[in-house]
């Protein structure tokens, strides 16, 4: 069937979709999903560290080394001498002074089991920035629960 246009009738209107309101709705939905999404935080993760049941202690030699002790409060002691400030710059200066510029010496980090992890990372960062590559972290041997 063919329909004819009426002569002298109204002009045909163009049909279009208003995209502005559609874009507004899409942005509102996007904003809703971004705000309502929950991200896992590393501080909420429960981490159970493995225990070392056996190991070989390092050889007792007379090699000079840097022994860095970290207390539970995060205070540093280098070769038995407490540091005045517990910041990265002071720790680096003490390590540089104690090693005499020899960054081939091993660095032994002894940290309390309940010490803030940031204190250990700061110690490792200081050693890395000074070029020390032989790092050791001391542990105690865990007793195995064998019957």
């Amino acid at each position: 069937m063919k329909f004819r246009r009426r002569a002298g009738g109204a002009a045909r209107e163009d049909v279009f979709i208003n995209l502005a309101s559609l874009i507004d709705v899409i942005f509102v939905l996007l904003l809703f999903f971004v705000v309502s999404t929950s991200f896992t935080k590393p501080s909420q993760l429960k981490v159970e560290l493995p225990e070392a049941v056996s190991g070989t202690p390092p050889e007792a030699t007379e090699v000079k080394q840097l022994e860095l002790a970290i207390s539970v409060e995060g205070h540093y002691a280098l070769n038995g001498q407490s540091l005045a400030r517990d910041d990265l710059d002071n720790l680096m200066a003490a390590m540089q002074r104690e090693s005499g510029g020899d960054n081939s010496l091993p660095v032994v980090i002894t940290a309390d089991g309940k010490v803030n992890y940031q204190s250990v990372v700061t110690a490792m960062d200081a050693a890395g920035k000074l070029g020390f590559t032989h790092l050791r972290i001391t542990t105690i041997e865990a007793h195995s629960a064998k019957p």
Side-chain angles (χ1 to χ4, degrees):
M1 245 178 163
K2 287 187 177 182
F3 294 105
R4 281 198 235 171
R5 286 188 176 205
R6 295 183 186 176
R12 188 172 148 189
E13 291 185 27
D14 291 331
V15 177
F16 69 95
I17 298 174
N18 187 1
L19 292 180
S21 60
L22 182 65
I23 291 173
D24 287 344
V25 169
I26 297 295
F27 280 135
V28 167
L29 287 174
L30 180 67
L31 182 66
F32 172 75
F33 287 121
V34 167
V35 170
S36 65
T37 303
S38 64
F39 297 99
T40 58
K41 296 178 183 174
S43 62
Q44 293 176 345
L45 296 177
K46 183 178 178 182
V47 177
E48 294 180 20
L49 299 175
E51 293 181 0
V53 177
S54 65
T56 58
E59 297 83 26
T61 59
E62 294 299 320
V63 175
K64 184 179 176 185
Q65 63 185 8
L66 296 178
E67 295 181 14
L68 181 63
I70 307 171
S71 71
V72 71
E73 294 88 15
H75 300 300
Y76 298 107
L78 186 61
N79 288 344
Q81 300 294 321
S82 293
L83 300 181
R85 293 186 327 263
D86 300 319
D87 59 350
L88 179 65
D89 295 330
N90 189 36
L91 181 59
M92 287 176 59
M95 291 175 78
Q96 186 71 24
R97 183 178 56 248
E98 193 70 27
S99 68
D102 183 12
N103 59 0
S104 65
L105 294 175
V107 177
V108 179
I109 300 174
T110 305
D112 188 276
K114 297 184 191 305
V115 72
N116 186 357
Y117 190 63
Q118 180 62 49
S119 300
V120 177
V121 171
T122 301
M124 294 172 70
D125 188 31
K129 284 183 177 182
L130 291 173
F132 290 99
T133 56
H134 302 287
L135 295 177
R136 294 181 187 159
I137 298 177
T138 58
T139 59
I140 58 172
E141 183 177 349
H143 301 291
S144 61
K146 292 182 182 177

